[in-house]
Amino acid sequence: MQKDWIYVGLTSLFELFWIFGFNVADSWWHWIIIVSLIAIDFHFLSKACENLPTGTVYATFAGVGTIGTTLMDIFIFDGEFNAIKGIFMFILVLGVIGLNLADNPSKDYVEEKGANA
């Protein structure tokens, strides 16, 4: 299970790499690197989905990508940070955590459901 979460981390990281590439690409060979990064990214995404719930993997991947891209825009590309962005990033983090918790119910709950089945 831990290895699967490493795949989620890797797919989220590679997503940020290729999104960064979109912002800085200015020649044809940059696009070859970007397409390669996208292929690697989707490989890790598919590996993560093999043993983890796909909805949770995708929500985590999209959430990390969204927050990472927003932070990249602010810190690297001189974007503007405001309280509204901060609030919505916080809500996004809460949503991803909530989905992870919902897909991994407590051991007692799982045992209780198994006993009643």
Side-chain angles (χ1 to χ4, degrees):
M1 183 73 104
Q2 184 69 17
K3 181 174 73 171
D4 300 315
W5 282 106
I6 292 171
Y7 288 137
V8 173
L10 287 171
T11 192
S12 299
L13 180 66
F14 275 91
E15 179 184 25
L16 294 175
F17 289 158
W18 62 259
I19 290 172
F20 176 80
F22 280 173
N23 287 297
V24 298
D26 61 4
S27 67
W28 65 269
W29 63 271
H30 290 161
W31 291 102
I32 292 173
I33 294 171
I34 292 168
V35 169
S36 299
L37 289 171
I38 291 170
I40 293 167
D41 181 29
F42 286 165
H43 167 73
F44 288 131
L45 181 63
S46 68
K47 294 295 282 182
C49 289
E50 286 178 359
N51 296 311
L52 294 172
T54 302
T56 301
V57 170
Y58 189 76
T60 304
F61 164 78
V64 169
T66 302
I67 291 172
T69 302
T70 302
L71 293 175
M72 188 181 344
D73 184 49
I74 292 166
F75 292 111
I76 297 175
F77 299 111
D78 296 325
E80 181 181 319
F81 178 80
N82 56 47
I84 298 298
K85 281 185 184 179
I87 289 168
F88 283 116
M89 286 192 299
F90 181 72
I91 291 169
L92 189 57
V93 169
L94 288 179
V96 169
I97 290 170
L99 281 171
N100 280 302
L101 292 174
D103 276 338
N104 297 307
S106 71
K107 185 178 179 182
D108 293 336
Y109 175 77
V110 171
E111 288 174 359
E112 180 181 309
K113 289 290 275 186
N116 292 333

